Amino acid sequence: MARAQGARAQMALGFETTYGTPPASGFTRMPFASTTLGAEQPLQTSELLGYGRDPLAPIKDAVTADGDVVIPIDARAFGVWLKAAFGAPTTTGLEAPYTHAFHSGNWSLPSFSIETGMPEVPRYAMYAGCMVDSLSWQMARSGLLTATARIVAQGEEVAASTQAGSPTELTLQRFGHFNGSVTRDGTAIGNIVSADINYANNLDRIETIRADGKIAGADPSIAALTGSVAVRFSDQTLVSQAINGEACELEFSYALASGESLTVTAHSVYLPVPRVEISGPQGIQATFDWQAAKNDTAGRMATVTLVNDMEAY
């Protein structure tokens, strides 16, 4: 008897025309490292008295479908997740390389379906009505560069065969930590130890009364772009900005020698005044937990620019 193994697991993603209805075609095979995406329906214990000490049978509660997907940050497939998190991009270029600009602040975000497959069981779970609640990752000096997408879904349908057809295959071309850089107002920031970036749509689940116990949708509320930068303390530049309450532009980017690049630009970033501790004879670090806000000149809070050979998303 075959047993399920993570090494054989598959994932396919397709954007929906109608919320909660998986598309008949157009799925893309997505690379992923792990996922907790799933649906659960808890039981409510009976509260009734008068039937002895042994409880009556429980009843089913509402369905909750959500979870995280850990994904590599690459030059092609990551654009699919950016479209899900920010909406369709503005694409320029008559031929490769193409530049895809994703803007924050869109009120209408696309929904999509994700199918996870365990072919040896077989078990294929289709999660319809998916939306990205948040997308986050960390910049560091070394290690594998991955992001975490937090997904809110409507429900789960399990089948013995795939419903995704033959997904489009995208050649993986990963960015690495060593390809990264951080700039402030166009100038590289020295002594950066690590940086965290988190974009949240702060989805509001529409929990209406339905016979199937599923949500009716998820509406985006006030977006947030937050994070932190840990620096070896060497000057007062960032501290002075925090004290003065001024805004700066932070840019987090990755670039490959072959020309592909990913750039996250937070147009107006505000810094808190950090605690600067002297904990011993080693170098002194300061961590700034930053927040981004809408920039009047740019007309938005953030722009994510992906340059690759994909003609459209």
Side-chain angles (χ1 to χ4, degrees), residues 135-172:
L135 189 62
S136 61
W137 68 92
Q138 183 181 61
M139 301 183 74
R141 183 175 181 271
S142 63
L144 294 173
L145 178 58
T146 59
T148 299
R150 178 70 179 171
I151 307 296
V152 171
Q154 185 185 48
E156 175 190 69
E157 298 292 338
V158 178
S161 60
T162 180
Q163 305 301 305
S166 299
T168 300
E169 300 276 355
L170 297 178
T171 302
L172 188 65

